Amino acid sequence: MEADTLVNVITIILAVGNFICLYSISRNKAYNEEKGKNLATKEDIDEITEIIESVKNEISFESQRKHTFIEQRTNRYIEILHLAEELQLYKKQLLFYLYDKNSAEKLSILINEVNKTLLKLLHENRLLMVSTDDEYTIKRSNNLVKSSQEFVVFLCYIASNAISHLTDWKIYFDLATKSKDNSELSKMATDSIQQFSQTREEYEDKISEKEKKLYNDMVEYLSALKRLFKQEFYLKFDFIAKTEKPEI
């Protein structure tokens, strides 16, 4: 009887132990599954957050790039007008040199500066043409570039002729000074300086027509800028004309 009782007690203890063990395993499994779900949820949130931040950065970059593009294009519109005005400034500078018999070197520098300014204008205009589809403005910009080229060609033509005559005059004058009895050299020096004066007269006769065309195309381009930006723009020479004019 005691043996049977002992067996029954041991059986009950084992059963209870198995129950506790199975319950513990089941509980741990449920905990681990729930923990895994929470961990997966956190990883999903981190991934979504990363995607959102990436999209925000792309939008910010694209917005900045668009802003930079618009700013550069706006500066280009203004720079074209500025360079055309710079070319117009060389008109008076060349006239001053045409009254100076010792200006051959200055004339050579002027030719280089005028051509550099024109090249900048051509470059800015080419960039403008690929950055806008506004045909109204492009047409007026191209007209301004064309009249600028014609203006520069005339300036360089006059300056080159003046350099040639002044160079000849200097050579003949120096030779005539050394050979005082050589009247032919004196005459050649005189002829050269007369040709230099004739070059100046040609310049004074024709420059107004060249400048008028350049100015008119500048005004047309200015009207395109006013239309585009819906604000007033003014030419530098509009203010110069209202102030004192330098005398020669």
Side-chain angles (χ1 to χ4, degrees), residues 54-115:
S54 176
V55 172
K56 285 171 62 179
N57 289 336
E58 288 179 7
I59 293 174
S60 177
F61 174 76
E62 184 63 27
S63 177
Q64 179 62 35
R65 187 172 66 173
K66 184 177 180 181
H67 174 75
T68 301
F69 172 79
I70 293 174
E71 183 179 15
Q72 289 176 342
R73 187 177 61 183
T74 300
N75 291 338
R76 192 159 290 123
Y77 281 121
I78 306 303
E79 181 66 7
I80 287 174
L81 181 62
H82 169 70
L83 290 170
E85 288 181 318
E86 273 196 21
L87 290 175
Q88 197 176 17
L89 282 172
Y90 288 111
K91 169 200 167 185
K92 290 187 179 297
Q93 188 175 352
L94 177 54
L95 186 58
F96 288 141
Y97 293 162
L98 292 176
Y99 276 89
D100 182 4
K101 292 186 297 184
N102 300 302
S103 62
E105 185 176 350
K106 294 177 183 178
L107 287 166
S108 180
I109 293 173
L110 182 141
I111 290 174
N112 289 332
E113 290 177 346
V114 168
N115 281 300

Side-chain angles (χ1 to χ4, degrees), residues 16-77:
V16 172
N18 287 335
F19 174 78
I20 293 172
C21 182
L22 290 173
Y23 176 78
S24 177
I25 291 172
S26 176
R27 184 181 178 87
N28 288 336
K29 182 178 179 182
Y31 173 79
N32 289 333
E33 287 179 353
E34 185 64 26
K35 183 178 180 182
K37 288 181 181 179
N38 292 336
L39 181 60
T41 302
K42 183 177 184 302
E43 290 175 349
D44 290 342
I45 292 174
D46 289 343
E47 183 179 356
I48 293 171
T49 302
E50 184 178 349
I51 293 173
I52 292 174
E53 289 299 321
S54 176
V55 172
K56 285 171 62 179
N57 289 336
E58 288 179 7
I59 293 174
S60 177
F61 174 76
E62 184 63 27
S63 177
Q64 179 62 35
R65 187 172 66 173
K66 184 177 180 181
H67 174 75
T68 301
F69 172 79
I70 293 174
E71 183 179 15
Q72 289 176 342
R73 187 177 61 183
T74 300
N75 291 338
R76 192 159 290 123
Y77 281 121

Side-chain angles (χ1 to χ4, degrees), residues 188-203:
M188 294 173 72
T190 301
D191 290 343
S192 296
I193 208 67
Q194 287 177 347
Q195 290 173 336
F196 173 67
S197 298
Q198 290 170 0
T199 298
R200 181 180 65 245
E201 291 171 2
E202 179 184 4
Y203 178 72

Side-chain angles (χ1 to χ4, degrees), residues 219-230:
V219 171
E220 287 294 316
Y221 180 72
L222 198 64
S223 69
L225 295 187
K226 291 178 180 179
R227 170 181 172 272
L228 186 64
F229 295 105
K230 294 181 172 47

Side-chain angles (χ1 to χ4, degrees), residues 172-173 176-177 179-180 182-191:
Y172 297 139
F173 180 80
T177 301
S179 305
K180 295 183 179 180
N182 195 329
S183 59
E184 185 63 25
L185 289 173
S186 297
K187 182 179 182 305
M188 294 173 72
T190 301
D191 290 343

